[in-house]
């Protein structure tokens, strides 16, 4: 696979995946998604019952939106930088996007656990 195609795929998946995570946590917080072992923030205590599942995800929603939106913007920046400048600039922004996503979701999960 050509490096440009790989950059496009990875940047697109990072951007769309980031936004999808934000939407899912938000919908769980609104009660539109039932408790599930597959969807939502990690932790068995967050899935004790439907109201706990909803309340903990609602508490984590602001941090989740912050992290996922910044990660998505960095991923889109990586895509643009990759198309214009090259592989090194793309890699810096793609790694930044992934780090922001991991750290932000870790903080959001911590917030959800403290809201129990």
């Amino acid at each position: 696979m050509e490096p440009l195609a790989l950059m496009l795929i990875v940047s697109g998946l990072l951007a769309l995946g980031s936004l999808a995570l934000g939407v899912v946590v938000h919908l769980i917080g609104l009660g539109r998604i039932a408790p599930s072992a597959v969807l939502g923030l990690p932790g068995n205590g967050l899935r004790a019952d439907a109201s706990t599942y909803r309340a903990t995800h609602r508490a984590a929603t602001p941090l989740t939106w912050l992290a996922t939106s910044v990660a998505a913007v960095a991923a889109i920046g990586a895509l643009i930088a990759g198309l214009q400048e090259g592989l090194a600039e793309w890699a810096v922004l793609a790694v930044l996007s992934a780090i922001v996503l991991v750290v932000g979701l870790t903080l959001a999960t911590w917030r959800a656990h403290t809201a129990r």
Side-chain angles (χ1 to χ4, degrees):
M1 183 175 277
E2 202 168 315
L4 181 61
L6 186 60
M7 290 188 313
L8 292 173
I9 291 169
V10 169
S11 298
L13 287 175
L14 266 171
L16 293 175
S18 296
L19 294 175
L21 286 167
V23 168
V24 166
V25 171
H26 184 82
L27 289 175
I28 291 170
L30 292 176
R32 303 247 171 100
I33 296 178
S36 166
V38 179
L39 292 176
L41 299 171
N44 290 334
L46 302 181
R47 291 170 178 79
D49 56 38
S51 64
T52 302
Y53 187 67
R54 185 177 52 252
T56 55
H57 282 76
R58 187 179 311 122
T61 296
L63 277 172
T64 303
W65 273 122
L66 178 64
T68 58
S69 60
V70 170
V73 168
I76 292 168
L79 176 65
I80 294 168
L83 290 172
Q84 293 181 352
E85 301 295 330
L87 186 63
E89 291 81 4
W90 170 83
V92 168
L93 287 169
V95 168
L96 175 68
S97 174
I99 289 171
V100 166
L101 191 59
V102 168
V103 170
L105 290 177
T106 300
L107 291 172
T109 302
W110 170 76
R111 175 66 183 113
H113 282 279
T114 60
R116 276 191 306 152

